[in-house]
Amino acid sequence: MGKYVQTQRKGKSPIFKSHTRTRKGAVKLRPIDYAEKHGYIRGVVKDIIHDPGRGAPVAKIQFLNAYRYKRDTELMVATEGMYTGQFIYCGKKATLTVGNVLPLTAVPEGTIVCNIEAKVGDRGAFARGSGCFAVVVSHDEDKGTTRLRLPSGGKKTVPSSVRAQIGVVAGGGRTDKPLLKAGNAYHKYAVKRNCWPKIRGVAKNPVEHPHGGGNHQHIGMPSTVGRERPAGRKVGLIAARRTGRLRGVKKTGQDKD
Protein backbone atom coordinates (compact mmCIF):
# COMPACT_ATOMS: atom_id res chain seq x y z
CA MET A 1 0.00 0.00 0.00
CA GLY A 2 1.41 3.39 -1.01
CA LYS A 3 1.14 6.76 0.67
CA TYR A 4 -1.60 9.30 0.16
CA VAL A 5 -0.54 11.55 -2.73
CA GLN A 6 -0.06 15.23 -1.98
CA THR A 7 -3.25 16.35 -3.73
CA GLN A 8 -5.26 14.19 -1.31
CA ARG A 9 -3.53 15.66 1.72
CA LYS A 10 -4.39 19.15 0.51
CA GLY A 11 -8.06 18.42 1.11
CA LYS A 12 -8.11 17.89 4.85
CA SER A 13 -4.65 18.72 6.20
CA PRO A 14 -4.24 22.02 8.12
CA ILE A 15 -0.70 22.25 6.67
CA PHE A 16 -2.13 23.58 3.39
CA LYS A 17 -4.52 26.19 4.82
CA SER A 18 -4.17 29.72 3.42
CA HIS A 19 -2.05 32.17 5.42
CA THR A 20 -4.46 34.92 6.40
CA ARG A 21 -3.02 36.48 9.57
CA THR A 22 -1.55 39.59 7.91
CA ARG A 23 -4.27 40.10 5.32
CA LYS A 24 -6.15 43.39 5.33
CA GLY A 25 -9.67 42.08 4.82
CA ALA A 26 -12.17 41.09 2.15
CA VAL A 27 -12.14 43.39 -0.89
CA LYS A 28 -15.71 44.16 -1.95
CA LEU A 29 -17.99 46.84 -3.37
CA ARG A 30 -20.33 48.70 -1.01
CA PRO A 31 -23.41 46.78 0.16
CA ILE A 32 -26.12 47.83 -2.29
CA ASP A 33 -28.57 50.38 -0.85
CA TYR A 34 -31.18 52.98 -1.80
CA ALA A 35 -28.57 55.63 -2.65
CA GLU A 36 -26.83 53.40 -5.20
CA LYS A 37 -30.07 52.13 -6.75
CA HIS A 38 -31.61 55.56 -7.32
CA GLY A 39 -28.83 58.17 -7.27
CA TYR A 40 -25.22 58.11 -6.14
CA ILE A 41 -23.08 58.36 -3.02
CA ARG A 42 -19.66 59.94 -2.73
CA GLY A 43 -16.64 58.42 -1.00
CA VAL A 44 -13.04 59.54 -0.65
CA VAL A 45 -9.92 57.41 -1.14
CA LYS A 46 -8.18 57.56 2.25
CA ASP A 47 -5.30 55.22 1.49
CA ILE A 48 -3.93 52.77 -1.07
CA ILE A 49 -2.38 49.81 0.72
CA HIS A 50 -0.62 46.54 -0.04
CA ASP A 51 -2.51 43.39 0.86
CA PRO A 52 -0.11 40.46 1.54
CA GLY A 53 -0.73 37.55 -0.78
CA ARG A 54 -2.54 39.74 -3.34
CA GLY A 55 -0.85 41.09 -6.44
CA ALA A 56 -3.11 44.13 -6.74
CA PRO A 57 -3.13 47.11 -4.35
CA VAL A 58 -6.26 47.81 -2.32
CA ALA A 59 -7.99 51.16 -1.80
CA LYS A 60 -9.43 52.19 1.57
CA ILE A 61 -12.50 54.30 0.72
CA GLN A 62 -14.55 56.18 3.30
CA PHE A 63 -18.27 56.92 2.88
CA LEU A 64 -20.70 58.82 5.12
CA ASN A 65 -23.33 56.48 6.53
CA ALA A 66 -26.76 57.53 5.25
CA TYR A 67 -28.64 56.25 8.31
CA ARG A 68 -26.38 56.86 11.35
CA TYR A 69 -23.86 59.47 12.42
CA LYS A 70 -20.76 57.56 11.42
CA ARG A 71 -18.41 56.85 8.55
CA ASP A 72 -18.11 53.52 6.72
CA THR A 73 -14.74 52.35 5.45
CA GLU A 74 -14.76 49.93 2.55
CA LEU A 75 -11.83 48.02 1.06
CA MET A 76 -12.18 48.15 -2.71
CA VAL A 77 -10.06 47.17 -5.68
CA ALA A 78 -7.67 49.99 -6.61
CA THR A 79 -7.95 50.86 -10.31
CA GLU A 80 -5.11 52.27 -12.38
CA GLY A 81 -4.94 56.03 -11.91
CA MET A 82 -6.57 56.07 -8.45
CA TYR A 83 -4.94 58.36 -5.86
CA THR A 84 -5.45 59.30 -2.21
CA GLY A 85 -7.90 62.16 -1.76
CA GLN A 86 -9.78 61.22 -4.93
CA PHE A 87 -13.59 61.28 -4.80
CA ILE A 88 -15.26 58.00 -5.80
CA TYR A 89 -18.92 57.99 -6.80
CA CYS A 90 -21.07 54.86 -6.53
CA GLY A 91 -24.55 54.52 -7.96
CA LYS A 92 -26.83 54.62 -10.98
CA LYS A 93 -26.26 58.33 -11.61
CA ALA A 94 -22.48 58.37 -11.06
CA THR A 95 -20.36 59.61 -13.97
CA LEU A 96 -18.41 57.25 -16.21
CA THR A 97 -14.99 57.95 -14.65
CA VAL A 98 -12.16 55.58 -13.69
CA GLY A 99 -12.73 54.19 -10.19
CA ASN A 100 -16.47 54.88 -10.03
CA VAL A 101 -18.99 52.08 -9.45
CA LEU A 102 -21.99 51.90 -11.80
CA PRO A 103 -24.63 49.32 -12.74
CA LEU A 104 -23.94 47.86 -16.20
CA THR A 105 -27.17 49.44 -17.49
CA ALA A 106 -25.41 52.81 -17.20
CA VAL A 107 -22.23 51.61 -18.93
CA PRO A 108 -21.99 51.88 -22.74
CA GLU A 109 -20.73 49.04 -24.94
CA GLY A 110 -16.96 48.84 -25.31
CA THR A 111 -16.27 50.20 -21.81
CA ILE A 112 -13.44 48.63 -19.82
CA VAL A 113 -14.65 47.54 -16.37
CA CYS A 114 -13.37 45.45 -13.44
CA ASN A 115 -14.60 43.92 -10.17
CA ILE A 116 -17.95 42.97 -11.72
CA GLU A 117 -20.70 41.24 -9.78
CA ALA A 118 -22.02 37.86 -10.93
CA LYS A 119 -25.37 38.40 -9.17
CA VAL A 120 -26.88 41.64 -7.94
CA GLY A 121 -25.48 42.53 -4.53
CA ASP A 122 -22.68 39.93 -4.35
CA ARG A 123 -20.15 42.81 -4.19
CA GLY A 124 -17.73 41.74 -6.91
CA ALA A 125 -16.76 38.46 -8.57
CA PHE A 126 -15.03 38.86 -11.97
CA ALA A 127 -11.83 40.63 -13.14
CA ARG A 128 -10.30 41.37 -9.73
CA GLY A 129 -6.66 40.30 -10.19
CA SER A 130 -3.83 42.76 -10.85
CA GLY A 131 -4.01 44.21 -14.37
CA CYS A 132 -7.33 42.46 -15.13
CA PHE A 133 -10.29 44.02 -16.90
CA ALA A 134 -13.42 42.93 -18.75
CA VAL A 135 -15.02 44.58 -21.76
CA VAL A 136 -18.76 45.24 -22.07
CA VAL A 137 -19.55 43.59 -25.43
CA SER A 138 -23.30 44.13 -25.78
CA HIS A 139 -26.55 44.82 -23.93
CA ASP A 140 -29.73 42.81 -24.52
CA GLU A 141 -32.43 45.15 -23.28
CA ASP A 142 -35.30 42.69 -23.88
CA LYS A 143 -33.78 40.06 -21.60
CA GLY A 144 -32.10 42.59 -19.26
CA THR A 145 -28.68 40.98 -19.69
CA THR A 146 -25.21 42.16 -20.63
CA ARG A 147 -22.48 40.20 -22.41
CA LEU A 148 -18.92 40.60 -21.12
CA ARG A 149 -15.54 39.50 -22.39
CA LEU A 150 -13.59 38.31 -19.36
CA PRO A 151 -9.78 38.42 -18.89
CA SER A 152 -9.59 34.72 -19.87
CA GLY A 153 -11.02 35.57 -23.30
CA GLY A 154 -14.27 33.77 -22.51
CA LYS A 155 -17.70 35.39 -22.80
CA LYS A 156 -20.12 35.68 -19.91
CA THR A 157 -23.74 36.84 -19.75
CA VAL A 158 -24.74 38.61 -16.53
CA PRO A 159 -27.82 40.59 -15.44
CA SER A 160 -27.58 44.23 -16.56
CA SER A 161 -28.36 45.44 -13.03
CA VAL A 162 -25.08 44.13 -11.58
CA ARG A 163 -22.46 46.72 -10.59
CA ALA A 164 -18.90 47.13 -11.85
CA GLN A 165 -15.96 49.45 -11.29
CA ILE A 166 -14.76 51.46 -14.26
CA GLY A 167 -11.17 50.94 -15.40
CA VAL A 168 -8.35 48.40 -15.11
CA VAL A 169 -7.22 46.83 -11.82
CA ALA A 170 -3.91 48.37 -10.69
CA GLY A 171 -0.70 46.35 -10.42
CA GLY A 172 -0.67 45.18 -14.04
CA GLY A 173 2.50 43.76 -15.59
CA ARG A 174 3.49 42.18 -12.29
CA THR A 175 4.37 38.85 -13.90
CA ASP A 176 6.60 40.45 -16.58
CA LYS A 177 9.47 40.81 -14.14
CA PRO A 178 11.21 37.48 -13.47
CA LEU A 179 11.47 36.28 -9.86
CA LEU A 180 15.21 35.59 -10.55
CA LYS A 181 15.92 33.59 -7.40
CA ALA A 182 14.32 30.96 -5.24
CA GLY A 183 14.27 33.33 -2.23
CA ASN A 184 11.87 35.66 -4.04
CA ALA A 185 9.58 32.76 -4.91
CA TYR A 186 9.76 31.57 -1.29
CA HIS A 187 8.57 34.92 0.05
CA LYS A 188 5.92 35.27 -2.67
CA TYR A 189 4.24 31.99 -1.71
CA ALA A 190 4.93 32.19 2.05
CA VAL A 191 2.16 34.79 2.40
CA LYS A 192 -0.24 32.86 0.15
CA ARG A 193 -0.24 29.19 1.18
CA ASN A 194 1.97 26.12 1.23
CA CYS A 195 2.19 25.45 -2.51
CA TRP A 196 5.91 25.93 -3.26
CA PRO A 197 8.24 24.29 -4.16
CA LYS A 198 6.33 21.91 -6.42
CA ILE A 199 7.93 18.49 -6.87
CA ARG A 200 7.15 16.67 -10.12
CA GLY A 201 5.46 13.30 -9.84
CA VAL A 202 8.16 11.53 -11.89
CA ALA A 203 10.81 12.71 -9.41
CA LYS A 204 9.08 10.86 -6.54
CA ASN A 205 9.08 7.24 -5.38
CA PRO A 206 6.33 4.80 -6.44
CA VAL A 207 4.78 4.92 -2.94
CA GLU A 208 4.27 8.68 -3.16
CA HIS A 209 2.91 9.17 -6.68
CA PRO A 210 1.52 7.07 -9.55
CA HIS A 211 4.21 8.53 -11.87
CA GLY A 212 7.10 7.82 -9.47
CA GLY A 213 9.92 5.27 -9.69
CA GLY A 214 11.65 3.64 -12.65
CA ASN A 215 15.26 3.78 -13.75
CA HIS A 216 14.76 6.91 -15.84
CA GLN A 217 12.31 9.66 -14.99
CA HIS A 218 9.36 8.70 -17.15
CA ILE A 219 5.64 8.54 -16.55
CA GLY A 220 5.28 5.00 -17.95
CA MET A 221 1.52 5.36 -18.48
CA PRO A 222 -0.74 7.81 -20.29
CA SER A 223 -0.59 11.23 -18.62
CA THR A 224 -4.32 11.72 -19.18
CA VAL A 225 -6.66 10.42 -16.50
CA GLY A 226 -10.44 10.14 -16.26
CA ARG A 227 -12.63 12.48 -14.25
CA GLU A 228 -14.06 9.62 -12.16
CA ARG A 229 -10.80 7.91 -11.19
CA PRO A 230 -10.13 7.37 -7.45
CA ALA A 231 -8.45 10.26 -5.65
CA GLY A 232 -5.00 8.63 -5.32
CA ARG A 233 -4.82 7.92 -9.06
CA LYS A 234 -6.26 11.22 -10.31
CA VAL A 235 -2.96 12.95 -11.20
CA GLY A 236 -1.67 14.39 -14.46
CA LEU A 237 -3.97 15.76 -17.16
CA ILE A 238 -7.42 15.24 -15.61
CA ALA A 239 -10.28 14.72 -18.09
CA ALA A 240 -8.22 16.35 -20.87
CA ARG A 241 -10.18 17.29 -23.98
CA ARG A 242 -6.93 17.65 -25.89
CA THR A 243 -3.21 17.36 -25.16
CA GLY A 244 -0.02 18.62 -26.77
CA ARG A 245 1.18 22.03 -27.82
CA LEU A 246 -1.26 24.67 -28.97
CA ARG A 247 -0.40 25.17 -32.62
CA GLY A 248 -1.58 27.90 -34.96
CA VAL A 249 -3.10 31.27 -34.09
CA LYS A 250 -5.02 31.47 -30.85
CA LYS A 251 -8.65 32.39 -31.47
CA THR A 252 -9.73 35.16 -29.15
CA GLY A 253 -13.28 36.06 -28.23
CA GLN A 254 -13.29 38.78 -30.92
CA ASP A 255 -12.52 36.32 -33.74
CA LYS A 256 -15.40 34.01 -32.87
CA ASP A 257 -18.12 36.67 -33.03
Side-chain angles (χ1 to χ4, degrees):
M1 184 68 201
K3 291 184 179 181
Y4 283 110
V5 301
Q6 191 177 11
T7 44
Q8 288 177 285
R9 288 172 48 225
K10 282 191 174 180
K12 65 175 186 177
S13 167
I15 294 167
F16 299 99
K17 279 203 299 215
S18 57
H19 302 164
T20 55
R21 182 180 58 83
T22 55
R23 303 223 178 144
K24 300 291 183 278
V27 173
K28 297 179 176 182
L29 300 173
R30 288 181 74 250
I32 195 160
D33 59 3
Y34 185 89
E36 281 204 39
K37 282 181 186 163
H38 300 282
Y40 66 86
I41 185 164
R42 188 181 81 174
V44 62
V45 179
K46 283 290 180 188
D47 201 3
I48 293 174
I49 53 177
H50 168 67
D51 189 13
R54 184 190 295 271
V58 172
K60 213 177 244 187
I61 303 178
Q62 204 170 69
F63 297 90
L64 282 175
N65 190 299
Y67 306 104
R68 288 186 177 64
Y69 180 65
K70 64 173 186 176
R71 290 189 168 97
D72 295 327
T73 304
E74 299 290 342
L75 282 178
M76 286 163 75
V77 166
T79 52
E80 267 181 31
M82 201 179 261
Y83 54 90
T84 51
Q86 180 184 356
F87 287 130
I88 296 293
Y89 297 90
C90 303
K92 190 175 83 168
K93 296 190 175 165
T95 55
L96 196 75
T97 315
V98 169
N100 286 0
V101 179
L102 284 79
L104 289 181
T105 43
V107 175
E109 292 171 7
T111 308
I112 283 173
V113 291
C114 63
N115 199 14
I116 309 131
E117 295 181 321
K119 303 185 189 73
V120 179
D122 77 4
R123 301 175 71 184
F126 305 125
R128 293 158 52 94
S130 56
C132 286
F133 63 90
V135 180
V136 177
V137 177
S138 60
H139 294 296
D140 187 339
E141 286 173 15
D142 302 333
K143 290 182 186 166
T145 59
T146 298
R147 203 148 170 73
L148 300 168
R149 188 162 74 249
L150 297 179
S152 61
K155 296 283 179 56
K156 183 90 185 165
T157 305
V158 294
S160 295
S161 48
V162 302
R163 297 171 295 163
Q165 262 178 282
I166 308 299
V168 180
V169 182
R174 175 174 52 85
T175 53
D176 297 346
K177 181 186 170 190
L179 286 171
L180 284 180
K181 57 182 192 172
N184 288 344
Y186 169 82
H187 290 296
K188 174 184 173 178
Y189 292 106
V191 289
K192 289 176 181 283
R193 67 203 71 80
N194 177 12
C195 62
W196 184 91
K198 270 196 167 56
I199 302 168
R200 293 164 303 135
V202 289
K204 295 181 181 177
N205 295 312
V207 290
E208 292 148 357
H209 199 275
H211 295 169
N215 280 352
H216 297 284
Q217 284 192 3
H218 68 292
I219 294 178
M221 58 183 75
S223 57
T224 53
V225 61
R227 171 82 67 215
E228 307 300 328
R229 294 304 295 273
R233 178 65 187 86
K234 203 156 80 166
V235 293
L237 305 171
I238 298 167
R241 289 199 176 92
R242 63 181 303 288
T243 61
R245 284 195 306 136
L246 286 167
R247 302 179 80 107
V249 182
K250 183 175 185 283
K251 276 199 168 69
T252 61
Q254 291 159 306
D255 302 336
K256 290 173 191 164
D257 287 354

